[in-house]
Amino acid sequence: MDPNVPNDLSASATNVLPRKLGKYVLKRELGSGATSTVYLADDPFHVREVAVKVVRWQSSEATERDLADAALRTEAMLLGKLNHPHIVKVFDVVNDGEDHYVVMELVGGGSMERYTRRGYLLEYPKAVDAVFKCAKALQYMNGLGLIHRDIKPANILLTVLGDVRLSDLGATLLSSDDSSTSLNAGTPFYMSPEQLLERPLEFRSDMFSLGVVFYELLTGEKPFDALNVNQ
């Protein structure tokens, strides 16, 4: 073990890079959201760079921990099940003690979110191509009885060559699962009406969300705007 690489995520090591997390060496931060931070990391066993999504607890409430644990279990369940050119590959899921993280294929081109503002919009053929590839990925998931539930620009990643990958599978559920009506997953601006109303979901709910993304990629605006989900 390299003595110069911290081997924990304690407060003293949180802002120090590189650092070790299990067998992975975190090199630099790639992005951060409300509940997780994604790092560029080395996988010494396979000799490759990967993306490691580290879950952060926002509170000590059991409900929040249960939701995060459920998301990690979902990604672990999908680990060996999904194999599609437009879905991010998940290599490893760790939910052990204080370690909660997902190891994924490194997709180095950022997300589609950057192309949802006027002045930065994609050319029409490129937007159509990206949405078509996402639709094919969702069709594949539907064939396995899966609903993504959180389709949005931030969850559509780009490779350095401009190809697309659907990411963030933690909200994915079997379409036959009664809990697929839960509002605990998804992003309100992109939710289908049935998801907002907590009704049973199916493949078309994901397609509705993808349609919202397509509209935003073409116009730089969201088709719906409100202060809360009740408006």
Side-chain angles (χ1 to χ4, degrees):
M1 182 182 300
D2 187 343
N4 296 315
V5 178
N7 196 34
D8 61 71
L9 289 177
S10 63
S12 61
T14 298
N15 297 315
V16 178
L17 291 175
R19 67 177 185 269
K20 287 202 72 175
L21 185 58
K23 67 181 180 182
Y24 305 99
V25 179
L26 309 186
K27 297 164 64 176
R28 64 180 174 87
E29 184 177 319
L30 295 175
S32 184
T35 60
S36 63
T37 301
V38 180
Y39 296 92
L40 172 68
D42 279 330
D43 177 351
F45 185 78
H46 293 98
V47 194
R48 64 187 175 190
E49 288 186 323
V50 294
V52 176
K53 180 175 70 175
V54 180
V55 175
R56 298 192 311 271
W57 303 125
Q58 299 299 302
S59 72
S60 60
E61 294 183 7
T63 300
E64 183 177 309
R65 285 178 174 265
D66 288 345
L67 289 173
D69 283 343
L72 285 170
R73 286 196 301 273
T74 295
E75 296 201 72
M77 178 268 289
L78 296 174
L79 178 60
K81 191 172 186 178
L82 294 178
N83 183 18
H84 191 275
H86 301 303
I87 297 177
V88 168
K89 291 180 175 63
V90 179
F91 298 134
D92 195 9
V93 179
V94 177
N95 190 8
D96 181 25
E98 294 301 313
D99 292 337
H100 309 270
Y101 58 93
V102 180
V103 182
M104 304 170 290
E105 168 192 7
L106 179 64
V107 184
S111 79
M112 295 294 289
E113 198 168 25
R114 73 175 75 173
Y115 299 115
T116 58
R117 293 177 295 161
R118 291 185 178 180
Y120 297 89
L121 301 180
L122 289 171
E123 297 175 0
Y124 178 74
K126 292 183 178 180
V128 171
D129 181 66
V131 171
F132 175 77
K133 289 174 178 176
C134 289
K136 295 294 288 183
L138 290 175
Q139 181 184 40
Y140 168 79
M141 291 181 66
N142 178 57
L144 297 174
L146 299 172
I147 304 170
H148 188 287
R149 294 202 305 169
D150 198 14
I151 300 297
K152 59 183 178 182
N155 286 341
I156 302 173
L157 304 183
L158 294 166
T159 70
V160 292
L161 296 178
D163 207 0
V164 299
R165 303 282 192 276
L166 283 184
S167 70
D168 205 344
L169 305 175
T172 301
L173 284 177
L174 288 168
S175 56
S176 59
D177 192 327
D178 289 339
S179 62
S180 65
T181 61
S182 172
L183 265 177
N184 289 322
T187 304
F189 276 124
Y190 302 95
M191 286 181 176
S192 65
E194 58 269 31
Q195 192 171 3
L196 286 168
L197 295 171
E198 300 185 72
R199 293 177 179 172
L201 305 181
E202 59 175 34
F203 172 65
R204 285 176 288 187
S205 179
D206 279 343
M207 294 304 293
F208 179 94
S209 300
L210 184 60
V212 175
V213 172
F214 193 23
Y215 182 96
E216 193 172 10
L217 289 174
L218 294 178
T219 66
E221 298 179 353
K222 295 179 176 65
F224 314 107
D225 195 8
L227 296 176
N228 56 64
V229 297
N230 297 315
Q231 292 185 329

